[in-house]
Amino acid sequence: METADTIGAAPRPGLRERKKQRTRDALLRAALELFTTQGYEQTTVDEIADAVDVSQRTFFRYFAGKEDVALFVQRLAESHFLAAVRERPPHEAPLEALRRAVLESWDTIGEAIEAVIPIELHMRTFQLIESTPALLAAHLRRSAEMEEEIAGVIAEREGLDVDADPRPRVAVAVFGGVMRVTGRLWGAGEDTSVEAIRALTASYLDHVGPALAEKWRT
Amino acid sequence: METADTIGAAPRPGLRERKKQRTRDALLRAALELFTTQGYEQTTVDEIADAVDVSQRTFFRYFAGKEDVALFVQRLAESHFLAAVRERPPHEAPLEALRRAVLESWDTIGEAIEAVIPIELHMRTFQLIESTPALLAAHLRRSAEMEEEIAGVIAEREGLDVDADPRPRVAVAVFGGVMRVTGRLWGAGEDTSVEAIRALTASYLDHVGPALAEKWRT
DNA sequence: AGGCTAGTGACAGTCGCTGACAGTTGACAA
DNA sequence: TTGTCAACTGTCAGCGACTGTCACTAGCCT
């Protein structure tokens, strides 16, 4: 099944594989570039394919559709976050684990992204998603799916049954809600640095307690 | 501009208007019936139009698309909930107002729905939305938009600036997150009665506090 | 009764997406 | 090196969602 160098650190992917990777990257970049400059709906799949000089059919062999390309990097980031959650030490309280996972994972996420596309392009894409109904919808659905997954992780950490105890899902729902708000505000604001989103997230998470309080008047 | 009976309680819509209403209702029912029996993706717009004996073009004059029909009743419910929130007395704490608004509005929502389609059909539609990716995505986006609106209402109640104080958005995000979880579980469960969703909602809202606690172990 | 206009159907066209088939090119063994 | 196999690709054909156009029908109003 596998060649001898499977164990080695640099398996040298082979020409075929490298070519595939190049086409995939080229399609991704071309798509995001076109989306962010002329708009998502205004960009046709043919345009993207033409820009990379492949047939439309080939585009669909690499990506499930327009949506899929647009959210590709987002999914990358999400999987990093999910991994970060799984690696939190078990003694941390659920919300604390989630909080630290986000705050810490942003750096690794940034690196992972830059290995594929320029970070600046990703920023523009992020704002595009927020402002394009079709993309926002798809993104929210993905988020919902991931929340379900995370709820499972949390439940396991605490040795609970997700379907019996409401707390895992509730905690994750609360957390997810706050994350969406911060993401939205970050995209709308001026400062698109990693520091900015980190500070914003921390601040908003700190406001969950006060927001649930009976009296808002100081 | 308006005829004399504008002031009257029963303006008698006129034949034209009544005909339109009938077509709209017929399209809505036919669509939901087809969606829930053979599936959303498996149902074409032509089928729906044929079932009501109008042209495809006419369908698109009444609804923006397939998604729009499927979520029509949901939007009806949402607007009722929003109205209920606006009518809560100002002395209630934000989360308390939201809580009471949901719990109380379900009855009025039920009535409003039944004026358009049989309630049983709506239940099936609800489950369809939860289990159809494309519809779930659209629904989540709508919810997000409404959360933004509600955040504005809450901010106004408390005399705050939504963009300056994080609490309105955070509170609504938390609430919305819990609502989604309960909705999901309700659709997945057996008991589709109004009582069931009411009890489930109350229970899950009560678990927000415990879910945020440091220690989950009793 | 007759003109006005909202609502409709028929038609054509765009775009996202998929299946089928044939041609090309890297991978791997004889 | 060469030949075989499998992976990738392009071309073509087609479906379904959706939109613009235009002529026509049918309520409405005077």
Side-chain angles (χ1 to χ4, degrees):
Chain A
M1 290 299 191
E2 294 288 332
T3 50
D5 58 0
T6 300
I7 299 172
R12 191 65 190 297
L15 175 56
R16 202 172 210 150
E17 207 59 35
R18 274 179 286 151
K19 215 169 176 179
K20 251 170 61 178
Q21 192 61 42
R22 241 188 300 133
T23 310
R24 183 182 213 81
D25 277 22
L27 280 171
L28 178 62
R29 277 181 223 213
L32 296 187
E33 203 62 60
L34 286 168
F35 288 162
T36 53
T37 51
Q38 35 177 273
Y40 177 73
E41 263 109 16
Q42 285 66 45
T43 304
T44 69
V45 175
D46 285 315
E47 278 182 287
I48 303 170
D50 286 351
V52 186
D53 220 66
V54 296
S55 71
Q56 190 211 50
R57 198 68 187 81
T58 294
F59 171 89
F60 284 109
R61 288 196 178 95
Y62 282 95
F63 299 97
K66 274 173 75 175
E67 257 183 34
D68 193 42
V69 216
L71 299 178
F72 188 83
V73 183
Q74 280 290 327
R75 276 203 303 284
L76 191 70
E78 282 169 10
S79 69
H80 271 257
F81 169 64
L82 185 58
V85 172
R86 286 193 212 275
E87 283 168 11
R88 295 311 307 175
H91 64 80
E92 293 175 345
L95 269 191
E96 187 193 355
L98 292 175
R99 180 198 180 104
R100 289 180 191 268
V102 231
L103 294 180
E104 288 188 10
S105 61
W106 255 305
D107 291 311
T108 36
I109 288 175
E111 292 172 25
I113 289 176
E114 216 149 10
V116 188
I117 60 162
I119 195 80
E120 166 268 345
L121 178 55
H122 173 245
M123 294 302 181
R124 274 188 282 145
T125 303
F126 184 87
Q127 295 177 329
L128 177 81
I129 293 172
E130 291 283 340
S131 59
T132 306
L135 291 180
L136 181 57
H139 177 242
L140 289 174
R141 195 195 71 220
R142 278 287 316 154
S143 302
E145 284 171 13
M146 209 185 52
E147 278 183 27
E148 183 62 22
E149 216 164 334
I150 294 179
V153 175
I154 294 295
E156 199 177 352
R157 278 172 63 98
E158 303 292 322
L160 299 171
D161 179 5
V162 226
D163 295 315
D165 195 317
R167 289 177 297 174
R169 285 209 176 94
V170 170
V172 172
V174 168
F175 183 80
V178 175
M179 290 300 296
R180 246 175 300 119
V181 173
T182 57
R184 215 163 110 61
L185 292 178
W186 181 55
E190 300 293 312
D191 190 352
T192 57
S193 69
V194 176
E195 271 316 307
I197 178 68
R198 212 200 307 270
L200 198 61
T201 305
S203 161
Y204 269 61
L205 283 176
D206 287 336
H207 277 89
V208 171
L212 298 177
E214 289 294 313
K215 292 189 170 298
W216 283 18
R217 290 235 155 260
T218 43
Chain B
M1 291 299 191
E2 295 288 329
T3 49
D5 56 1
T6 301
I7 298 172
R12 192 62 191 298
L15 175 57
R16 204 176 211 146
E17 206 59 33
R18 273 178 287 150
K19 216 170 178 179
K20 250 170 63 178
Q21 192 62 41
R22 241 188 300 134
T23 311
R24 182 180 214 81
D25 277 21
L27 280 171
L28 178 62
R29 277 181 222 211
L32 295 187
E33 202 63 58
L34 286 169
F35 288 163
T36 53
T37 50
Q38 34 176 277
Y40 177 73
E41 264 108 18
Q42 284 67 45
T43 305
T44 68
V45 174
D46 286 314
E47 281 180 285
I48 303 169
D50 286 351
V52 186
D53 219 68
V54 296
S55 70
Q56 191 211 49
R57 198 68 187 82
T58 293
F59 171 90
F60 284 110
R61 287 196 179 97
Y62 281 96
F63 299 98
K66 275 174 74 175
E67 257 183 33
D68 194 41
V69 214
L71 299 178
F72 188 83
V73 183
Q74 280 290 327
R75 275 204 303 284
L76 191 70
E78 282 170 9
S79 69
H80 271 257
F81 169 64
L82 185 60
V85 173
R86 285 192 212 276
E87 283 169 10
R88 296 311 306 173
H91 64 80
E92 293 175 345
L95 269 192
E96 187 191 353
L98 292 175
R99 181 200 179 103
R100 290 179 190 268
V102 230
L103 295 180
E104 289 189 10
S105 61
W106 255 305
D107 291 310
T108 33
I109 288 175
E111 292 172 25
I113 290 177
E114 216 148 11
V116 187
I117 60 162
I119 195 80
E120 166 269 345
L121 179 56
H122 173 246
M123 295 302 181
R124 276 189 281 145
T125 304
F126 184 87
Q127 294 177 329
L128 178 82
I129 294 172
E130 291 283 339
S131 59
T132 305
L135 292 180
L136 180 58
H139 176 241
L140 289 174
R141 195 194 71 218
R142 278 288 316 157
S143 301
E145 285 171 13
M146 209 185 52
E147 279 184 27
E148 182 62 23
E149 216 164 334
I150 294 179
V153 174
I154 295 295
E156 199 177 352
R157 277 172 63 98
E158 304 293 321
L160 299 171
D161 179 4
V162 226
D163 294 313
D165 195 317
R167 289 176 298 173
R169 286 209 176 92
V170 171
V172 172
V174 169
F175 183 81
V178 175
M179 289 301 297
R180 244 176 302 120
V181 173
T182 57
R184 214 162 111 60
L185 293 178
W186 181 57
E190 300 294 312
D191 190 353
T192 57
S193 68
V194 176
E195 270 316 306
I197 178 66
R198 213 201 305 269
L200 198 62
T201 304
S203 161
Y204 269 60
L205 282 176
D206 287 337
H207 277 89
V208 172
L212 297 178
E214 288 295 313
K215 293 187 170 299
W216 284 17
R217 288 237 156 259
T218 42

